[in-house]
Amino acid sequence: MYIIIAIVAISVVTAIINIMFVSKKIKTHRQSNKMRKNILAEGQSAKAIINAIQATNASLGGQHPKVILDLAVTMPNGETLQTAVETYIHIVHVPSFQPGKEIDVKYLIIDGIPKFEVVGAVVL
């Protein structure tokens, strides 16, 4: 009898821990998307050259692959910054995101660090 109670208690505790973990992950994801939308809406424009594109195993609905873009961003003051941006792009736009192509980005300085987003990327 005590073994059954112990097993049920362990199962309940495990379920609670899993729910807390998933809730935190969802909250973090929502905050990230909010920041990305804010950068695209409020950010300053800049141009970037794609140095490299790396596919990941993630996608949205099979039509929006998640990629990592290695970028050389030319800031409005002429300074060039190197950065990597993880983003989703529509599958039909993949040819526009190849090494050597110039793309539009937006950025905001957050906590003293420039944060970049790709104009035309998919943001939920």
Side-chain angles (χ1 to χ4, degrees):
M1 180 69 158
Y2 293 114
I3 294 175
I4 293 172
I5 293 172
I7 291 171
V8 169
I10 291 171
S11 296
V12 169
V13 169
T14 302
I16 290 170
I17 290 171
N18 285 337
I19 290 169
M20 289 171 49
F21 176 76
V22 169
S23 295
K24 182 174 177 148
K25 194 161 181 95
I26 289 170
K27 182 179 178 183
T28 302
H29 182 71
R30 284 183 180 157
Q31 288 172 338
S32 174
N33 278 342
K34 184 177 179 182
M35 183 179 70
R36 293 178 69 205
K37 287 178 182 178
N38 188 46
I39 292 169
L40 289 169
E42 306 292 329
Q44 295 183 358
S45 296
K47 296 288 186 180
I49 301 293
I50 300 172
N51 296 321
I53 182 171
Q54 179 182 353
T56 69
N57 290 330
S59 72
L60 294 173
Q63 295 295 309
H64 306 92
K66 183 177 185 180
V67 297
I68 302 169
L69 297 171
D70 178 6
L71 303 174
V73 180
T74 303
M75 303 298 279
N77 66 2
E79 180 184 10
T80 300
L81 300 176
Q82 301 295 319
T83 190
V85 176
E86 286 187 32
T87 193
Y88 293 91
I89 56 175
H90 194 284
I91 197 163
V92 299
H93 295 159
V94 170
S96 301
F97 289 90
Q98 297 303 307
K101 298 277 187 166
E102 183 180 71
I103 60 171
D104 294 317
V105 296
K106 291 221 174 171
Y107 72 94
L108 284 176
I109 306 297
I110 301 172
D111 296 329
I113 301 169
K115 302 288 184 177
F116 297 94
E117 284 301 324
V118 175
V119 174
V122 177
V123 180
L124 300 176

